[in-house]
Amino acid sequence: MEWEQLLSSRRFGKDKPEKELDLEIIRSEFQRDYDRIIFSSPFRRLQNKTQVFPLPGSVFVHNRLTHSLEVASIGRSLGNIVARDIKSNEPEKIRPLIDELGTIVSVACLTHDLGNPPFGHSGENAISNYFENGKGIELRNQMTEAQWLDLTNFEGNANLLRLLTHQFNGRRTGGFSMTYACLSAMIKYPFPSTQRTKKNKYGFFQSEREHFLSVVQQTGLTAIDAANDVYARNPLAYLVEAADDIAYLIMDIEDAHKLGILSKQETTDILISFFDGDNRRKLLTKLQQISNVVTDENEQIAFLRASAINHLTIRSSEVFLNNYNAIMNGSFSGALTKHLPELVNQSVEDSGLLSKKKIYNNRSVVEVEITGYNVLKTLVEEFLGASLNPESGYSEKLLQLVPDQYKKNDGSVYDQARSIIDFISGMTDLYAMDLYRFIKGDHNSLVI
C-alpha cells in the first residue's frame, strides 16, 4: 500500500476529486472531516450512550462521547509519532500529506463508536438475537445468506460505514461525504459478515458493499481474498485500534477507582505494572513527590493514568514502526497492543482480566446490560413488526414515531429491517428507555 493513495483527499459521493491539499488554507480536507464529525448530531448523541457504568450518576464517569474524545487525543499522538518517523523516507510530494496522519487517525477515532446502538454490546446482542432466536427468524427465507448474517450478527463497526455513507431520506448523496482517507482508516475489519471473526466482527453490511469496494479502490487496500471481499487494513486503522484499546483499558480503571470498585492501592498497582526498571523507579519517585503536595487521591491516580497512557502510546507506536513493512504490505496480523514488550503485554492482559472480574461483572454494569438488552429487543420487535405489517391501526400509529429519514415503506425485507435498525441504533440510551416505557404504557414518559 502507498501513502499517496491511502491519503486520498477525494470525498465519498463526489463525482470530481477535491483540489490538491493546500497547506495555505485554514483547514485541510482531513481537518474539515474532523470538524464535520464534531458538529454532527450522531456525535453529540454519544453523550447519552453508556460506556461501561450507568448514566447518569453522582460521580461523573465516561460516556461514549468523552471516551471518543480521549481516544481521538491518543490517536492524534500515535499518528504524529508515526508521521515524524516515516516522513524522511517518503517522496517530497507526499511529505505534506504525511503531516496529516495525526488528523486522519483522530477523525477515525472520533467516529469509532458512532455505529454502536444504545447500551453498547448488550444492544448489539439484542438486535442480533431478535433475528436469530426471536420473531425475526420467520424472515430467514426472504433474504440472502449474507444479508441474514448481517442481521443475526449486528456489528457496530459495519453500522458506522452505513451511517457515514448511506443516503438517508431527504439527505444528500454520499452521506457525510467524508474523505476516502478517513473512511478507510475507520474500517477496522475490511471484510463482510460472511468472513466475520470468531468474535463476530466484520466491517460492512451487504447494503454498503459497493461503498466499501469504492473505499478499497480509492485508497488501494491490499487484496487478501478479493473474491470474498477480504482486504488488508489501512495501516492507520491499527493506530485507531490501539488508541481505543489504550483508552478503554486505562480509563475504565480510573472510573472504577472513582466509584470505589477498585481501592487506591489496587488502582496504583495496576497502573504502575506497565512500567519496569528505571521507568518504574522514576514514576514512583515522582508519585511520592506529588503525594507530598497533593492529598487528593483522584489527582494522584490521574497522574498515574496520564503516565500509563503516554507509556502505552509510545510503546504501541514502536510496534507499528518495527513492523512497518509487514503493515504496509498487509501481512501483519493482530492488534498493536498484542505485540507490546512481554512485561507490558502481560500487564495489559492482567489488567484486562481484573477489569472483567471486578468492573465488567460489577452489579451496576450487569444491570445496565440486562436492561439494555430487553429495551432494544422490544423496540426492534415493535417497530420492525409495524414496518412489515403497516396496515393495522396500531402499526400506523407506531410508525408515526419514526423520523422520515428512516422510513422505508417499500423494498426488500432486508432493506426495511436495515431502516428500522438505523432508527433504533441511532437512539441514545435515555431516549430508547423512554420510548420503551411509552410503548409499555407509561404515556407520560415520551419526549420527542
Side-chain angles (χ1 to χ4, degrees):
M1 290 176 277
E2 301 292 339
W3 288 116
E4 185 172 15
Q5 195 168 3
L6 287 167
L7 303 181
S8 170
S9 62
R10 182 174 179 176
R11 294 192 173 276
F12 180 84
K14 299 288 187 181
D15 293 332
K16 297 180 180 180
E18 296 287 334
K19 295 180 179 179
E20 291 285 332
L21 182 64
D22 184 355
L23 297 182
E24 297 301 317
I25 62 175
I26 296 176
R27 299 179 300 163
S28 71
E29 293 301 324
F30 311 123
Q31 290 163 353
R32 288 176 60 199
D33 278 351
Y34 186 97
D35 296 343
R36 191 166 294 188
I37 295 299
I38 282 286
F39 286 97
S40 71
S41 295
F43 186 74
R44 288 196 299 274
R45 286 197 292 269
L46 291 178
Q47 68 183 311
N48 276 326
K49 286 194 173 185
T50 302
Q51 175 66 12
V52 174
F53 298 104
L55 298 174
S58 57
V59 177
F60 186 81
V61 293
H62 290 83
N63 53 40
R64 293 283 177 182
L65 180 67
T66 52
H67 169 71
S68 297
L69 289 169
E70 288 166 350
V71 173
S73 177
I74 297 170
R76 183 184 62 243
S77 296
L78 284 165
N80 288 341
I81 293 171
V82 168
R84 182 180 60 195
D85 191 274
I86 67 176
K87 187 176 179 181
S88 60
N89 298 321
E90 296 300 328
E92 187 173 344
K93 67 176 182 177
I94 305 300
R95 289 173 191 167
L97 290 172
I98 296 296
D99 286 334
E100 290 287 327
L101 291 193
T103 300
I104 295 170
V105 174
S106 63
V107 171
C109 288
L110 281 181
T111 67
H112 82 282
D113 271 349
L114 288 185
N116 287 358
F119 304 102
H121 294 307
S122 184
E124 287 180 323
N125 292 336
I127 294 171
S128 301
N129 192 62
Y130 169 79
F131 294 99
E132 189 168 23
N133 300 305
K135 290 185 178 180
I137 200 170
E138 300 171 1
L139 308 175
R140 171 67 185 87
N141 295 328
Q142 300 184 54
M143 57 190 75
T144 67
E145 176 67 18
Q147 290 173 337
W148 182 246
L149 290 174
D150 285 352
L151 297 178
T152 54
N153 299 278
F154 178 82
E155 166 57 33
N157 289 286
N159 201 42
L160 169 61
L161 185 64
R162 178 174 174 83
L163 173 67
L164 295 180
T165 63
H166 181 69
Q167 183 179 2
F168 293 96
N169 294 338
R171 302 301 176 90
R172 65 181 175 183
T173 302
F176 277 60
S177 192
M178 304 289 287
T179 62
Y180 279 103
C182 289
L183 286 175
S184 184
M186 296 170 195
I187 302 176
K188 188 176 180 181
Y189 306 102
F191 43 81
S193 58
T194 53
Q195 305 294 320
R196 65 194 184 284
T197 68
K198 291 180 180 179
K199 294 184 178 180
N200 289 327
K201 299 295 185 181
Y202 59 96
F204 64 93
F205 299 128
Q206 289 302 302
S207 50
E208 280 67 57
R209 178 175 180 269
E210 294 305 317
H211 298 175
F212 168 76
L213 292 178
S214 177
V215 173
V216 166
Q217 180 181 15
Q218 289 294 327
T219 56
L221 301 187
T222 297
I224 295 176
D225 181 3
N228 289 303
D229 295 336
V230 180
Y231 291 83
R233 282 180 176 179
N234 182 315
L236 299 183
Y238 286 101
L239 301 180
V240 177
E241 180 181 48
D244 187 28
D245 289 345
I246 293 169
Y248 215 117
L249 177 67
I250 302 300
M251 302 314 301
D252 287 352
I253 290 172
E254 184 179 32
D255 280 348
H257 171 260
K258 288 182 178 180
L259 293 170
I261 296 172
L262 294 177
S263 68
K264 177 188 176 183
Q265 191 59 53
E266 286 177 312
T267 308
T268 299
D269 290 344
I270 294 170
L271 296 177
I272 287 177
S273 71
F274 297 110
F275 300 83
D276 64 350
D278 287 340
N279 287 326
R280 179 176 292 193
R281 284 189 288 273
K282 290 178 182 178
L283 181 66
L284 289 173
T285 299
K286 184 66 175 177
L287 177 62
Q288 184 60 54
Q289 293 172 349
I290 291 174
S291 299
N292 291 336
V293 178
V294 179
T295 58
D296 188 328
E297 283 189 5
N298 288 329
E299 283 297 305
Q300 296 170 15
I301 296 300
F303 162 72
L304 291 176
R305 175 257 299 158
S307 299
I309 288 177
N310 182 64
H311 186 64
L312 290 174
T313 298
I314 294 172
R315 298 288 85 81
S316 296
S317 64
E318 289 173 349
V319 173
F320 184 97
L321 294 168
N322 290 338
N323 294 275
Y324 181 75
N325 291 334
I327 289 173
M328 294 302 290
N329 67 33
S331 63
F332 184 80
S333 63
L336 296 181
T337 52
K338 297 296 183 183
H339 295 267
L340 292 168
E342 184 176 354
L343 181 140
V344 180
N345 189 49
Q346 187 61 52
S347 295
V348 169
E349 291 184 6
D350 291 344
S351 299
L353 290 173
L354 181 65
S355 294
K356 183 176 181 180
K357 179 181 178 181
K358 285 206 162 189
I359 299 176
Y360 307 136
N361 287 329
N362 182 267
R363 181 180 178 87
S364 65
V365 175
V366 173
E367 287 175 347
V368 169
E369 291 177 343
I370 293 173
T371 298
Y373 185 92
N374 286 298
V375 168
L376 266 289
K377 181 181 177 181
T378 299
L379 294 182
V380 173
E381 184 173 312
E382 291 283 339
F383 283 99
L384 183 54
S387 179
L388 297 176
N389 301 282
E391 63 280 353
S392 76
Y394 176 74
S395 293
E396 182 180 354
K397 295 296 183 183
L398 199 60
L399 291 175
Q400 289 180 16
L401 298 177
V402 180
D404 289 342
Q405 72 182 86
Y406 301 119
K407 289 182 177 178
K408 190 79 173 179
N409 299 323
D410 53 11
S412 68
V413 170
Y414 174 76
D415 288 338
Q416 292 187 64
R418 283 261 69 92
S419 294
I420 291 299
I421 294 173
D422 289 335
F423 168 50
I424 294 172
S425 66
M427 296 178 183
T428 65
D429 293 12
L430 298 180
Y431 181 72
M433 177 67 80
D434 199 36
L435 191 53
Y436 168 81
R437 289 172 175 158
F438 181 81
I439 290 173
K440 289 296 185 180
D442 181 4
H443 291 188
N444 293 319
S445 66
L446 185 61
V447 180
I448 301 179

